[in-house]
Amino acid sequence: MALAVDEIVSRCRGALAEHTPVLAVRDVLAELVADPRALEDALGPVDAGGITTLHHDADLTVLHVAWTPGMALNPHEHRMWAVIGLYGGQEDNSFYRRVPGGLEPSGGRELPAGDVLVLGDDVVHSVANSRREFAVALHVYGGDFFSVGRSEWEFDSYQERPRDLDRTRRLFEEANARWRSRT
Ligand SMILES: [Fe+2]
């Protein structure tokens, strides 16, 4: 039987009951991204970057995320664990340490399709898609992604401010417009 969005969510929900939920979610995503065709069929074709909420409640958020080619999302935190599973393209993650007055770069990780990345609840990262194809992923968070107050930082100055999801949406719109108008 074909994979459905409900099943993706219920498998993540089931993982929350395991002894170590974040690792159980990692295993669920590793299984899911091993079959990208099934995910494409369940989630539909991607022709623009954006974030689609598949599920969110107080202890679980499941997002379908497509990063537009050439876009970069500035450093931010989640204040909850996160697991990212790529099933198309590649997502380049950069990590940061908090230091007085801002951030300090602290390595990175390229995440190609088929890979899964676990982020602890104190991680600060930025994300870029440097390829000429959409980077498509499932992002699972151990809480309500949309209601928790948290910070983001400017790329250049590392100045901290409250996370602004409207600003993130505008970043996607701008990146989509640039990608559509490419020559
Ligand atoms: Fe993030």
Side-chain angles (χ1 to χ4, degrees):
M1 210 175 80
L3 180 68
V5 170
D6 283 355
E7 190 191 335
I8 295 170
V9 172
S10 69
R11 284 169 71 175
C12 293
R13 160 75 47 208
L16 293 189
E18 297 289 330
H19 182 65
T20 313
V22 64
L23 298 183
V25 167
R26 178 196 65 190
D27 292 346
V28 167
L29 287 196
E31 280 181 27
L32 289 170
V33 300
D35 189 353
R37 287 276 295 278
L39 283 175
E40 278 162 27
D41 290 347
L43 299 164
V46 169
D47 56 11
I51 296 176
T52 307
T53 304
L54 304 180
H55 176 85
H56 81 107
D57 63 26
D59 56 2
L60 178 70
T61 301
V62 183
L63 306 179
H64 181 229
V65 178
W67 302 109
T68 312
M71 87 174 281
L73 180 62
N74 52 296
H76 60 273
E77 62 177 358
H78 309 117
R79 295 196 191 177
M80 59 186 71
W81 57 254
V83 188
I84 299 170
L86 263 281
Y87 70 94
Q90 177 175 300
E91 177 184 304
D92 299 334
N93 275 260
S94 299
F95 301 109
Y96 304 86
R97 254 193 305 269
R98 284 171 175 271
V99 292
L103 297 175
E104 186 175 271
S106 175
R109 170 139 169 227
E110 293 181 348
L111 207 61
D115 263 19
V116 176
L117 175 66
V118 172
L119 303 174
D121 54 13
D122 58 351
V123 162
V124 177
H125 75 151
S126 63
V127 181
N129 178 4
S130 56
R131 295 198 168 184
R132 294 187 63 80
E133 61 181 323
F134 288 97
V136 281
L138 290 170
H139 289 212
V140 180
Y141 302 87
D144 185 348
F145 180 83
F146 296 100
S147 69
V148 171
R150 52 216 147 101
S151 291
E152 63 181 34
W153 291 261
E154 294 283 357
F155 259 123
D156 299 326
S157 65
Y158 293 144
Q159 179 148 13
E160 184 171 357
R161 61 166 180 258
R163 180 111 194 238
D164 180 349
L165 289 175
D166 285 334
R167 193 169 179 274
T168 301
R169 278 183 207 103
R170 286 198 300 278
L171 272 178
F172 275 107
E173 284 165 17
E174 289 161 15
N176 286 334
R178 277 199 305 275
W179 177 244
R180 277 193 296 266
S181 66
R182 72 194 184 277
T183 50

